[in-house]
Amino acid sequence: MFQPVYLDHNATTPLAPAALAAMLPWLDGLCGNASSRHEYGRRARQVVDEARQRVAAAVGAHPTEVLFTSGGSEANNLFIKGAAASLRPGLIGVSAVEHPCVLKPAAQLQRLGWQLHTLTVDAAGRVETDDYAALLAQRPGLLSVMLANNETGVVQDVAALAEAARGSGAWFHSDAVQAFGKLPLDFRALNAAGVHALTLSAHKIGGPKGAAALLVDKRVELQPQIAGGGHERGLRSGTENVAAIVAFGVAAELAAAGVAERAQRMRQLKNRLESGLTVIGARIFAVDAPRLPNTSYFAFADIDGETLVGKLDREGFAVASGAACSSANPEPSHVLRAMGVAPEIARGAVRVSLGEGNDEHEVEQFINALRATVGRLQGLTAMTV
């Protein structure tokens, strides 16, 4: 009997069994506020600190550089707004293909006297070097360029961009939410190149929703964006989500341990997928740029992406028409628009993001279902012309 196939791992991943097992005792039986001074609180503090050590070790950071937050959006906002609050208003640069949780807080700084420079990208989604050099010449105070794009999977050379910015004096941040678990991450090496902060999220790596982290160089002065009890070294108040943080630590350890093998396997599946897409006539975006091993973003002429996603869902295949958080927005992807893709093509965009649970048989099933669905839709389009 056919089982539904999940192909939307960039939106969220299934909870890893080991992460679930670590989490369950703190949802049923164990309790304690990690700030309490009795035995229950001390035990909660101990497991939070152990999780902090695991997350740090997974990405080559020091535990004191790990700040737990409720999600990647909060972590990105904490850096952008928190770092800006410690500086005189100046110039902030972000790439045009950033996630909205970077673009929107950066735009909000304009009301506080900051100037915003949105870095252009080329047709493959990479930051334009000339525009970047022109920005650096203006000595920005803050920079944020994501390591891997959630829609296209394009990987930016963040280390080189940060290295180039060292003389500008800017604090450099990178959203690494999509990269973690799919690419090796070494915060110590990135920090040496000039990256001062990195964002991670648990639910993209087999952990639970509700836990994430901002890795931040201790030289960066951040102003807290949530005032209260002074948790997370006074930088993020709010009682720690012990269960989710414990599971995050386990998921981070697993993600780092198997990253090379996982990437190789995902790349093989993606290559098979894209061979099939090419035969069907899909336009695959960003093929000329380095991309995540699990992500393929494509479109078919004259076929609406939302319609195709809905048809495939009824066939039992879960894919996306873009970023999950912006799926209610009917406008074409801002990422594809920044890459110069025509609106009528961008509206047809569909993303497949593979995960550990997928196999070659499922990819073949998907290609067959996609071929049949596209054929029916193209037939309907021809009838209406």
Side-chain angles (χ1 to χ4, degrees):
M1 182 178 294
F2 175 78
Q3 295 293 319
V5 178
Y6 185 71
L7 299 170
D8 196 18
H9 291 82
N10 284 10
T12 195
T13 57
L15 189 60
L20 175 61
M23 188 177 190
L24 283 177
W26 292 94
L27 296 173
D28 182 20
L30 292 178
C31 69
N33 185 322
S35 296
S36 297
R37 296 186 178 276
H38 46 61
E39 176 60 25
Y40 294 90
R42 288 194 296 273
R43 176 58 180 148
R45 172 55 56 197
Q46 178 184 348
V47 296
V48 167
D49 287 345
E50 289 172 355
R52 196 185 311 275
Q53 292 168 4
R54 282 178 158 167
V55 172
V59 293
H62 191 275
T64 59
E65 295 170 322
V66 178
L67 299 176
F68 286 125
T69 68
S70 66
S73 292
E74 185 192 342
N76 286 341
N77 274 262
L78 174 57
F79 178 81
I80 291 170
K81 295 179 180 178
S86 68
L87 299 171
R88 295 178 59 183
L91 177 63
I92 178 172
V94 300
S95 84
V97 296
E98 295 299 309
H99 192 280
C101 66
V102 167
L103 293 173
K104 290 185 178 181
Q108 288 174 345
L109 293 185
Q110 292 177 290
R111 295 200 292 268
L112 302 176
W114 284 76
Q115 291 179 290
L116 173 61
H117 183 105
T118 303
L119 289 159
T120 57
V121 297
D122 63 18
R126 296 165 296 201
V127 170
E128 289 274 16
T129 55
D130 289 347
D131 191 27
Y132 189 63
L135 171 64
L136 295 183
Q138 300 177 64
R139 301 189 66 82
L142 294 174
L143 293 166
S144 186
V145 178
M146 69 195 326
L147 186 50
N149 188 265
N150 49 300
E151 294 185 31
T152 62
V154 169
V155 178
Q156 304 284 351
D157 191 347
V158 163
L161 293 172
E163 184 74 42
R166 290 175 70 90
S168 72
W171 294 124
F172 193 108
H173 163 262
S174 185
D175 178 347
V177 164
Q178 288 296 340
F180 190 23
K182 301 169 189 139
L183 302 173
L185 279 186
D186 185 344
F187 183 62
R188 187 63 56 240
L190 288 170
N191 188 233
V195 175
H196 302 101
L198 209 65
T199 296
L200 310 175
S201 182
H203 78 103
K204 308 294 189 180
I205 58 165
K209 302 170 186 68
L214 178 68
L215 310 183
V216 61
D217 186 319
K218 287 178 284 186
R219 293 171 295 179
V220 178
E221 183 180 348
L222 290 179
Q223 294 297 321
Q225 298 304 294
I226 301 176
H231 306 77
E232 295 299 298
R233 304 201 312 275
L235 294 173
R236 196 278 179 185
S237 290
T239 301
E240 290 92 345
N241 184 347
V242 177
I245 288 172
V246 167
F248 183 17
V250 172
E253 199 168 70
L254 293 172
V259 64
E261 296 80 4
R262 186 183 309 113
Q264 181 179 6
R265 182 171 173 274
M266 291 302 101
R267 190 171 290 108
Q268 290 172 345
L269 290 177
K270 186 180 77 170
N271 290 344
R272 175 64 193 98
L273 168 66
E274 294 192 342
S275 293
L277 291 174
T278 301
V279 171
I280 302 171
R283 173 178 173 180
I284 304 172
F285 301 113
V287 291
D288 294 328
R291 289 180 294 152
L292 292 174
N294 79 316
T295 304
S296 185
Y297 203 30
F298 57 91
F300 294 91
D302 302 320
I303 294 181
D304 177 71
E306 288 289 345
T307 300
L308 184 52
V309 167
K311 297 286 187 184
L312 290 168
D313 182 40
R314 286 190 283 277
E315 294 290 328
F317 297 92
V319 297
S321 57
C325 61
S326 59
S327 60
N329 184 355
E331 293 299 312
S333 159
H334 75 280
V335 173
L336 294 181
R337 294 201 309 270
M339 291 165 58
V341 176
E344 60 270 21
I345 299 296
R347 287 190 180 92
V350 171
R351 182 189 68 192
V352 169
S353 46
L354 301 157
E356 286 192 81
N358 297 132
D359 57 32
E360 188 171 344
H361 178 63
E362 290 177 332
V363 170
E364 295 292 342
Q365 287 180 311
F366 174 73
I367 292 170
N368 291 335
L370 181 65
R371 180 186 294 109
T373 302
V374 167
R376 287 193 294 270
L377 291 173
Q378 288 175 335
L380 290 172
T381 300
M383 291 173 62
T384 60
V385 173

